């Protein structure tokens, strides 16, 4: 009999199991995949934002050295359907065809037009220049308001409109009635600039056919191997059971790999057509054109309140840039935010309207936070404006309106039920760490002196809905899939454990966290647990990774599957120990008989006895393996308070973040080190939107920020030191008590930074600075405000 003492794992700051392999280069990115006879693809992309294709001639490319084949959209049309949109948000939503290779018209710069197949990637890329294409230019469609005007050029002429859909939500009292009794009405327009995802690993896909049986194995840099498999079967006609999708090591995604891309469909179609393995890997500049973008929105916000700063109602009108096509979840992204504009605040009326608009730009879709950062930005900026209007401190105006901790569970005006939270505790902790009162005192002194470098303090008190889950709720939102997740536990005869998960990590640390969860339940050492993921053959069931759902849904499924293993083992242990199941205790991986601690069996010993099946209870199957499919009853709702102090030079427009403090509540913490890493990464992306990043197009629809020289992605040197901490109110909606953390930092940080900049400049008459708040834009805001003050006094 083996003695063992397994320490509790949940809450332990474990180094990640994944990292040794990754940082030593012993990894397997999609671009590393090598198969005998591999061919390489290169894709010719439109240089124009909008044009009719008059002629495509690929025959000159076939004469280039190393070229095996070349195809137009027409050549592949029989084996390729339209790329899918899984979220038809309204019954009358306009859904244009989206061919993986353009047929008659290109609708954004970067739209694919032809593909070359060659023996190496360089030959394929060189041959692109030989392809002849005649374009007839058509007017670009770029401005969201102009796109909806009568007589505007159309992105999809056959649809007769650039309006993709209108999605309304009205709850509580009638907003106009509430507005009439309000003493204060705040109206603001905010713009969410387009953002370009920058995962460390570019997108890539490789497809290996097995011609004899019509089977295909696809390797892809995807967040969604299971969803991708289903959708590609629909698009290409390859039977789902003949297609295996593997997401090997994936170097980041941030939503950009939550997609079914044309390149994946093209690679599968060409591998089928040629009977040869093929691979495509994007260049970084190609990815700026072809990988979907994030955000892209005009937000008109109206708050109705009392003179004491109590919210009465909120009205939100959005124009959301869909880009040229509706991709996998494009139309649903702004709708996710619809439920988050009321945030942590109580009010009597809420009105929301979103209009999706087609433009001749790269399609938008999920980007870290997916609709919720946009919502948080708008409400947190507007709350600062309310505070300024009624003469209250920004923290105080929030205190007067937020849901108090004793009111949980609380059903918001938007219809969500927040299961737990304590905004007061997180805020008080953050204020203390930040030195809020001292910074306000310093700010007053500097204002009195008229310092050219002004101090600003920004506040962001956020919550989010994540753990994208309950299938019935997703049904009501017209989403085409469910929100469940699958996990299974395999107890091996040697006492080791395999955890099979339907989630597919791309940097989050699932292998480590899932090992900790299984170890905690099973009492098996952390080191003895292996986690299998990202392969539709090894893990045949799953709904994959996005929306901060993996721990809440997938981790909870692992927990439940492990509990089932323990219960099956209990039956065998009771039989072996000749005791009643009710008389057994299970702790630290050991079954013992109450009152007779010497009568004991480890779960590993039970696993081996079950494997031999020499002496198991009658009717017991010879395995402890168990699986669990979990469909949560609710979303999870992390929250927190983020505080930012900036120094703004009014003479140059330069902004420097002086200090940043955040206190997040993500429920029960599995691994503090991983949580900390997720928060830091999220902060970097949220601050980047506030200060640095923007996809810029010229008047012809060309992306002029299409390289890393033109699109500013901040490095560690551009970011401040962060002070991070946590409070903990366990979630009531899942067995682990956990809440999502992957998007929290991004959601909260952007308004904290911009609120700080505006707070610094408000005494000069500045009420907004358009993101990103570059030195030029800050300087221009100061100049315009001063010019306005001079005119008013003249």
């Amino acid at each position: 009999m083996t003695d063992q003492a397994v320490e509790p794992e949940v809450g332990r700051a474990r180094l990640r199991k994944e990292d040794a392999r990754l940082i030593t280069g012993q990894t397997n990115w999609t671009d590393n995949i090598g198969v005998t006879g591999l061919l390489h693809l290169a894709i010719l992309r439109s240089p124009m934002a909008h044009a009719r294709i008059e002629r495509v001639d690929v025959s000159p490319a076939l004469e280039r050295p190393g070229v095996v084949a070349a195809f137009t959209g027409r050549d592949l049309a029989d084996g390729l359907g339209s790329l899918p949109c899984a979220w038809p948000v309204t019954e009358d939503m306009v859904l244009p065809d989206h061919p993986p290779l353009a047929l008659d018209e290109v609708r954004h710069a970067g739209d694919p037009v032809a593909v070359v197949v060659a023996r190496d990637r360089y030959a394929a890329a060189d041959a692109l220049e030989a392809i002849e294409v005649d374009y007839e230019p058509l007017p670009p469609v770029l401005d969201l308001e102009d796109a909806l005007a009568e007589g505007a050029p159309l992105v999809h002429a056959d649809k007769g409109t650039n309006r993709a859909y209108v999605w309304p939500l009205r709850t509580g009292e009638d907003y106009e009635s509430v507005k009439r009794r309000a003493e204060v009405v705040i109206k603001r327009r905010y713009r969410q600039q387009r953002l370009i995802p920058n995962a460390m690993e570019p997108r890539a896909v490789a497809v290996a056919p097995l011609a004899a049986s019509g089977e295909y194995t696809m390797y892809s840099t995807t967040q969604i191997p299971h969803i991708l498999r289903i959708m590609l079967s629909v698009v290409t006609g390859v039977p789902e059971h003949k297609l295996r999708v593997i997401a090997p090591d994936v170097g980041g995604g941030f939503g950009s790999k939550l997609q079914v891309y044309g390149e994946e469909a093209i690679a599968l179609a060409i591998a089928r057509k040629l009977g040869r393995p093929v691979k495509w890997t994007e260049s970084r500049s190609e990815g700026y054109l072809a990988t979907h973008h994030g955000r892209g929105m005009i937000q008109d916000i109206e708050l109705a309140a009392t003179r004491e700063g109590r919210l009465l109602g909120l009205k939100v009108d959005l124009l959301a840039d869909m880009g040229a096509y509706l991709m996998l979840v494009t139309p649903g992204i702004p709708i996710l935010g619809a439920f988050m504009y009321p945030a942590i605040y109580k009010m009597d009326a809420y009105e929301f309207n979103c209009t999706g608009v087609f433009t001749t730009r790269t399609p938008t879709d999920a980007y870290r936070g997916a609709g919720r950062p946009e919502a948080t930005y708008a409400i947190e900026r507007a709350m600062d404006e309310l505070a300024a209007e009624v003469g209250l401190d920004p923290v105080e105006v929030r205190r007067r309106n937020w849901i108090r901790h004793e009111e949980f569970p609380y059903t918001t005006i938007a219809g969500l039920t927040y299961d737990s939270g304590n905004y007061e505790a997180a805020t008080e902790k953050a204020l203390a760490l930040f030195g809020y009162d001292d910074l306000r005192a310093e700010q007053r002194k500097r204002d009195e002196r008229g310092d050219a470098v002004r101090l600003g303090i920004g506040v962001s008190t956020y919550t989010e809905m994540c753990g994208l889950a309950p299938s019935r709720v997703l049904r009501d939102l017209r989403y085409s899939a469910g929100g469940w997740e699958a996990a299974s536990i395999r107890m091996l005869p040697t006492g080791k454990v395999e955890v099979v998960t339907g989630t597919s990590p791309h940097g989050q640390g699932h292998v480590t966290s899932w090992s900790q969860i299984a170890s905690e339940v099973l009492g098996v050492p952390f080191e003895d647990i292996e986690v299998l993921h990202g392969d539709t053959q090894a893990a045949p069931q799953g709904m994959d990774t996005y929306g901060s759902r993996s721990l809440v849904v997938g981790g909870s499924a692992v927990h439940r599957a492990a509990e089932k293993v323990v219960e099956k083992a209990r039956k065998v242990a009771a039989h072996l120990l000749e005791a009643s199941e009710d008389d057994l205790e299970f702790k630290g991986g050991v079954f013992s008989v109450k009152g007779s601690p010497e009568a004991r069996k480890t779960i590993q010993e039970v696993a081996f006895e079950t494997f031999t099946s020499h002496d198991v209870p009658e009717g017991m199957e010879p395995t402890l393996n168990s699986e669990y499919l979990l469909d949560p009853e609710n979303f999870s709702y992390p929250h927190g308070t983020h505080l930012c102090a900036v120094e703004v030079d009014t003479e140059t427009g330069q902004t420097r973040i002086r200090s940043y403090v955040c206190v997040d509540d993500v429920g029960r913490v599995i691994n503090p080190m991983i949580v900390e890493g997720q928060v830091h990464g999220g902060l970097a992306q949220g601050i980047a939107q506030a200060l640095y990043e923007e996809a810029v197009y010229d008047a012809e629809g060309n992306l002029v920020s299409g390289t890393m020289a033109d699109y500013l992605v901040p490095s560690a040197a551009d970011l401040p030191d962060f002070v991070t901490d946590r409070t903990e109110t366990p979630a009531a909606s899942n067995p682990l008590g956990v809440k999502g953390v992957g998007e929290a930092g991004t959601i909260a940080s952007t308004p904290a930074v911009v609120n700080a900049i505006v707070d610094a400049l408000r005494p000069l008459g500045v009420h907004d600075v358009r993101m990103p708040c570059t030195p030029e834009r800050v300087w221009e805001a100061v100049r315009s405000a001063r010019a306005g003050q001079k005119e008013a006094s003249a």
Side-chain angles (χ1 to χ4, degrees):
M1 182 171 63
T2 303
D3 289 324
Q4 60 184 28
V6 177
E7 297 296 323
E9 282 290 340
V10 170
R12 188 172 177 182
R14 280 277 192 182
L15 291 174
R16 300 196 327 171
K17 284 185 174 183
E18 301 91 325
D19 288 348
R21 186 183 76 254
L22 296 173
I23 64 177
T24 57
Q26 300 176 69
T27 187
N28 198 27
W29 312 113
T30 298
D31 193 47
N32 298 147
I33 302 296
V35 183
T36 302
L38 183 67
L39 300 174
H40 294 264
L41 308 183
I43 294 173
L44 182 70
R45 299 185 182 278
S46 169
M48 308 184 72
H50 198 195
R52 187 171 292 110
I53 300 172
E54 298 291 334
R55 181 180 71 95
V56 183
D57 185 0
V58 298
S59 59
L62 296 172
E63 300 174 6
R64 292 296 184 95
V67 172
V68 173
F71 303 99
T72 67
R74 292 291 174 197
D75 295 330
L76 296 178
D78 287 344
L80 285 176
S82 179
L83 292 175
C85 174
W87 204 337
V89 294
T90 64
E91 289 186 11
D92 59 352
M93 185 184 80
V94 175
L95 182 57
D97 285 341
H98 185 184
L101 275 175
L103 300 174
D104 302 309
E105 210 170 291
V106 291
R107 294 182 170 89
H108 68 89
D111 216 354
V113 175
V115 57
V116 170
V117 188
R119 292 188 177 88
D120 66 68
R121 67 179 60 186
Y122 307 106
D126 289 345
L128 292 180
E129 65 184 21
I131 297 175
E132 298 174 3
V133 186
D134 293 335
Y135 295 102
E136 179 189 338
L138 296 170
V141 180
L142 301 171
D143 184 87
L144 296 181
E145 292 178 305
D146 290 349
L148 298 177
E150 187 174 349
L154 297 176
V155 181
H156 299 275
D158 60 318
K159 300 302 181 184
T161 181
N162 290 323
R163 183 178 285 103
Y165 65 86
V166 177
W167 194 93
L169 177 67
R170 290 172 178 79
T171 61
E173 300 178 34
D174 176 66
Y175 174 78
E176 293 301 323
S177 299
V178 168
K179 179 180 173 182
R180 283 192 291 270
R181 71 171 190 261
E183 298 166 299
V184 176
V185 176
I186 303 288
K187 294 183 180 180
R188 294 290 185 269
R189 168 168 281 200
Y190 302 120
R191 293 180 183 270
Q192 294 282 329
Q193 77 270 37
R194 276 176 166 251
L195 301 177
I196 301 176
N198 278 275
M200 284 194 295
E201 181 195 20
R203 290 191 296 118
V205 58
V207 180
L210 186 61
S213 59
E215 296 177 84
Y216 301 86
T217 298
M218 172 180 284
Y219 302 87
S220 179
T221 55
T222 184
Q223 300 173 217
I224 52 167
H226 298 90
I227 294 172
L228 181 61
R229 180 192 190 205
I230 295 167
M231 292 301 186
L232 285 180
S233 176
V234 173
V235 171
T236 66
V238 173
E240 185 182 349
H241 67 289
K242 296 288 188 178
L243 178 59
R244 177 185 183 185
V245 176
I246 299 173
D249 293 318
V250 176
F254 313 119
S256 70
K257 295 170 184 173
L258 165 57
Q259 193 56 266
V260 177
Y261 281 107
E263 293 86 359
E264 291 160 325
I266 290 167
L268 181 55
I270 291 176
R272 179 170 55 177
K273 196 175 189 74
L274 300 181
R276 297 276 298 276
V278 301
K279 182 199 291 183
W280 170 82
T281 302
E282 72 178 2
S283 67
R284 185 67 68 174
S285 57
E286 185 179 21
Y288 274 38
L289 290 169
T291 296
H292 74 241
H293 292 178
R295 315 289 191 253
M297 187 183 293
I298 297 173
Q299 302 169 303
D300 287 310
I301 308 298
E302 186 172 293
L303 289 182
T306 67
R307 179 54 60 186
E308 291 73 35
R310 192 181 82 77
L311 278 175
L312 298 176
L314 171 64
K315 182 180 180 183
V316 177
D317 287 297
L318 304 183
L319 292 180
D321 188 351
M322 303 286 99
Y325 302 100
L326 301 183
M327 297 190 75
L328 190 65
V329 291
T330 300
I333 298 303
I335 306 308
L336 281 175
F339 302 96
M340 286 286 97
Y341 281 87
I344 65 174
Y345 306 117
K346 297 179 286 189
M347 61 192 73
D348 302 327
Y350 175 46
E351 183 175 319
F352 174 91
N353 300 281
C354 178
T355 301
V357 184
F358 291 113
T359 63
T360 52
R361 291 187 277 206
T362 300
T364 59
D365 209 299
Y367 179 68
R368 198 169 191 169
R372 285 134 321 143
E374 298 93 312
T376 300
Y377 180 84
I379 187 63
E380 288 303 291
R381 286 285 296 111
M383 290 298 286
D384 262 32
E385 296 301 301
L386 175 61
E389 180 68 24
V390 300
L392 288 172
D393 182 273
V395 175
E396 178 58 29
V397 83
R398 288 164 170 82
R399 283 194 181 109
R400 294 188 183 189
N401 288 285
W402 65 32
I403 304 158
R404 298 186 306 275
H405 70 276
E406 66 269 15
E407 295 179 283
F408 289 94
Y410 185 91
T411 300
T412 73
I413 189 76
L416 298 177
T417 300
Y418 296 173
D419 60 331
S420 68
N422 191 328
Y423 310 136
E424 302 97 309
T427 302
E428 291 308 313
K429 194 169 192 178
L431 293 172
L433 291 169
F434 191 62
Y436 186 83
D437 292 339
D438 290 343
L439 281 167
R440 283 294 185 199
E442 180 187 344
Q443 181 187 48
R444 287 190 292 271
K445 290 178 182 177
R446 292 172 66 157
D447 288 350
E448 290 166 3
R449 292 196 304 265
D451 286 3
V453 178
R454 306 187 68 88
L455 178 64
I457 299 168
V459 180
S460 174
T461 49
Y462 81 99
T463 190
E464 62 155 323
M465 55 184 282
C466 62
L468 195 61
S471 297
R472 291 178 298 279
V473 173
L474 297 178
R475 172 204 63 197
D476 294 342
L477 292 174
R478 300 180 60 83
Y479 183 62
S480 298
W484 52 267
E485 195 48 79
S488 61
I489 306 289
R490 300 173 185 163
M491 289 293 300
L492 305 181
T494 55
K496 312 304 181 184
V497 175
E498 289 178 336
V499 175
V500 182
T501 176
T503 64
S504 186
H506 42 282
Q508 297 92 335
H510 291 184
V511 171
T512 301
S513 297
W514 279 212
S515 295
Q516 291 181 270
I517 292 167
S519 175
E520 181 89 0
V521 178
L522 299 173
V524 173
F526 172 83
E527 296 78 10
D528 289 350
I529 298 173
E530 188 68 30
V531 178
L532 307 179
H533 59 79
D535 181 343
T536 59
Q537 184 167 295
Q541 297 184 100
M543 293 303 295
D544 305 317
T545 294
Y546 41 85
S548 299
R549 73 185 300 273
S550 291
L551 177 60
V552 175
V553 191
S556 292
V558 170
H559 177 86
R560 291 297 195 207
E563 288 182 327
K564 288 180 70 174
V565 168
V566 172
E567 289 312 302
K568 290 177 76 172
R570 183 183 299 275
K571 296 181 184 300
V572 179
H575 178 77
L576 294 172
L577 294 170
E578 298 181 342
S580 165
E581 291 181 41
D582 295 336
D583 290 336
L584 291 189
E585 293 180 336
F586 182 70
K587 185 177 181 181
V590 177
F591 291 98
S592 60
V593 179
K594 296 175 185 177
S596 301
E598 71 283 355
R600 46 194 273 130
K601 288 283 185 183
T602 67
I603 196 168
Q604 294 96 326
E605 291 172 318
V606 174
F608 185 79
E609 292 286 353
T610 308
F611 162 73
T612 66
S613 199
H614 291 168
D615 186 16
V616 295
E618 191 70 29
M620 178 84 183
E621 59 182 0
T623 179
L624 299 182
N625 296 352
S626 297
E627 67 176 8
Y628 198 94
L629 274 73
L630 185 141
D631 197 345
E633 61 190 47
N634 197 359
F635 299 96
S636 78
Y637 301 97
H639 68 83
T641 296
H642 287 223
L643 301 170
C644 178
V646 300
E647 291 183 331
V648 182
D649 189 329
T650 57
E651 295 178 350
T652 66
Q654 185 68 39
T655 297
R656 181 181 75 89
I657 297 179
R658 180 169 133 177
S659 62
Y660 196 102
V661 168
C662 61
V663 175
D664 296 292
D665 191 322
V666 296
R668 190 183 183 201
V669 172
I670 303 300
N671 187 318
M673 191 177 298
I674 289 177
V675 167
E676 191 83 355
Q678 288 287 307
V679 170
H680 277 227
L683 292 175
Q685 285 184 275
I687 291 170
Q689 179 175 7
L691 296 179
Y692 303 117
E693 296 188 27
E694 182 177 24
V696 179
Y697 288 82
D698 66 15
E700 300 302 315
N702 300 304
L703 181 66
V704 297
S705 58
T707 71
M708 285 190 136
D710 307 298
Y711 184 93
L712 182 52
V713 179
S715 70
D718 300 303
L719 298 166
D721 290 333
F722 305 124
V723 176
T724 63
D725 209 331
R726 293 184 300 277
T727 55
E728 185 172 314
T729 53
S733 57
N734 64 75
L736 290 171
V738 296
K739 304 175 183 180
V741 70
E743 297 159 309
T746 302
I747 289 168
S749 56
T750 307
V753 174
V754 178
N755 277 342
I757 294 170
V758 175
D759 182 66
L761 303 178
R762 195 180 296 280
L764 304 180
V766 174
H767 297 284
D768 190 33
V769 179
R770 183 174 170 181
M771 294 188 294
C773 301
T774 61
E776 179 183 5
R777 284 182 177 167
V778 171
W779 181 86
E780 180 58 36
V782 172
R783 189 195 67 81
S784 297
R786 284 174 171 165
Q789 288 175 343
K790 287 180 181 178
E791 289 179 10
S793 61

